[in-house]
Amino acid sequence: MKHRGRHRRRRRGRALRAALAGTALALTAAATMISTSQATVADDPGALESLTSAEATAPLRLTERPVPRDWLDRLSDGMGPAVPMDAVLADADGVLREADSCPADDRRALPVEPEATRAYCWDGADTSGWEAGAVTTSGDADDDGRWGPHRVILSGWSRSGPVSGGPGDASADGSPAGADGTTGRDGLARVAFVDRDAAGGPSYTWVLLAVPVQEGRDYRALASSVSGMVWYQDKLLVTADRQDGSALYVYDIDRVQRASVSGPSVGRVADGWSAAGARYVLPAVGAYRTTGADAPLPGGISLDRSTTPDSLVAHEARPEGDDDGPTRLWRYAFSVDPLRSGLLATDPASRVDAVAAYETRLTDVRSVLSHRSGWYLGRVTGTPDERGTLWRQDTEGARPVRCGADDTYRCWSGDAGSLSHWQETGEVWSQSGRMLFALPLDSVDRSLD
């Protein structure tokens, strides 16, 4: 699909950075030790099991809930016109550093096998107290890999803790805001808009994610860990923690608003609009809600352009410490209606049904990518300081990425929680700790046992 008439460019390769190669070699020895936790199922999870019964697929159904248009118009009238992507990218908060100038402790988050071919780190002071989350790119947004003239990466971050804001009655998802001036939620979520081609290195601008309240007269912070994020056409889909039945929030990338007040509050304040220190805010335009209190929520999500139509894939989010059972994987189709750009396909009752669902015996899944019938699953195998594993699984079987003298599975970044395939370049982007990195999908396939 071509969006806004942009044309495809040729793939450009870059040489493997010496710093990354050196880091990977230094870490290989540490990756050769295998603990007993890799036995049994982790050694061979077998093939994916298709879930086809109504009983198995019905809990995956979502209901689309758009924010009323008059709410969005009222908020825009109060805050001023939307800020175009060009202006957001030009108004940078900082610049990412190349891997060879990053601290050694940060570089340890990079995978051993396959090696990253691009890697950058975030400034420690700018991300202190924040947890890295999902990554998506303009390679998801448009198949030519660009948004206008720009190649853009969106990097999600979250922070827990109380958030101050203006009083409100109810948000678009039906959640109350406190009369004491708090949002009724703890936490913040923000996205770094990264200009990959900026002079002097990739630069980034922080944008706070928000949800309209008081019929568009105010907004509250999105309190979510941002475990999954997909930018498709002009919409950004972001996962939500289990707090109000919302599985995904929907953002319009063309509705970035400028905050006029710099301070810790979120929303309307006496002197204008505040975004917890960020200079820009992106209000939600809708949400997808689950059908029941016990319905599974998506953890990691990604875009699959190898299906017709394009689809959103997800793995099941499980509470911490509750990873004993199998993990569900599923996909939703995107709408082909030009009036519903970037939204999921719905029936006349605004319901979204999974078009395919599977079950994997792998547990502790933290990232998912689907491409040409193969499912790539990142798995945590211990503490965040330990290396994780990366598997390719389908209905025929499963194979892990191996490395080291004894072919250990522990080759992947232990804390990476996102996989995003940039189709135009063939790269997979991910993020772990303060490292943002990419590697060719082909190199993953070559590393499979």
Side-chain angles (χ1 to χ4, degrees), residues 114-351:
E115 295 177 355
T117 51
R118 305 179 197 267
Y120 310 93
C121 65
W122 300 86
D123 182 81
D126 209 8
T127 55
S128 178
W130 291 84
E131 179 183 358
V135 172
T136 185
T137 74
S138 55
D140 284 341
D142 196 333
D143 60 4
D144 76 348
R146 296 175 183 264
W147 191 253
H150 304 287
R151 291 187 297 178
V152 184
I153 302 166
L154 301 186
S155 168
W157 294 75
S158 60
R159 189 179 77 190
S160 59
V163 180
S164 61
D169 48 11
S171 67
D173 54 7
S175 56
D180 59 354
T182 65
T183 62
R185 311 277 179 94
D186 285 346
L188 296 169
R190 66 181 183 178
V191 174
F193 283 47
V194 181
D195 183 353
R196 253 188 69 180
D197 302 318
S203 62
Y204 61 90
T205 307
W206 293 115
V207 179
L208 185 76
L209 296 180
V211 179
V213 297
Q214 293 191 49
E215 299 183 342
R217 296 180 179 87
D218 204 349
Y219 56 81
R220 66 165 175 83
L222 174 68
S224 176
S225 60
V226 195
S227 61
M229 193 165 62
V230 166
W231 177 10
Y232 185 65
Q233 297 178 7
D234 60 348
K235 301 298 190 302
L236 177 66
L237 304 183
V238 179
T239 55
D241 293 338
R242 189 179 294 278
Q243 53 190 350
D244 52 37
S246 293
L248 299 167
Y249 276 92
V250 185
Y251 294 87
D252 186 332
I253 212 75
D254 292 325
R255 281 187 173 271
V256 177
Q257 303 280 168
R258 193 183 304 273
S260 56
V261 175
S262 178
S265 297
V266 174
R268 187 180 57 191
V269 293
D271 298 327
W273 302 86
S274 181
R279 289 176 294 113
Y280 297 96
V281 61
L282 187 59
V285 299
Y288 291 99
R289 304 196 68 179
T290 55
T291 56
D294 297 327
L297 289 178
I301 59 175
S302 63
L303 175 69
D304 188 351
R305 285 192 177 274
S306 66
T307 60
T308 304
D310 297 338
S311 58
L312 180 81
V313 299
H315 74 75
E316 180 178 5
R318 286 184 172 273
E320 187 174 348
D322 182 23
D323 273 309
D324 294 333
T327 303
R328 283 171 285 192
L329 313 171
W330 65 93
R331 72 172 72 242
Y332 302 113
F334 276 103
S335 176
V336 296
D337 184 346
L339 298 179
R340 289 178 48 80
S341 62
L343 298 175
L344 299 177
T346 59
D347 66 14
S350 297
R351 294 174 301 197

Side-chain angles (χ1 to χ4, degrees), residues 16 20-21 24-25 111-117 438-440 443:
L16 179 65
L20 302 185
L25 289 172
V112 171
E113 181 70 28
E115 295 177 355
T117 51
L439 46 86
S443 69

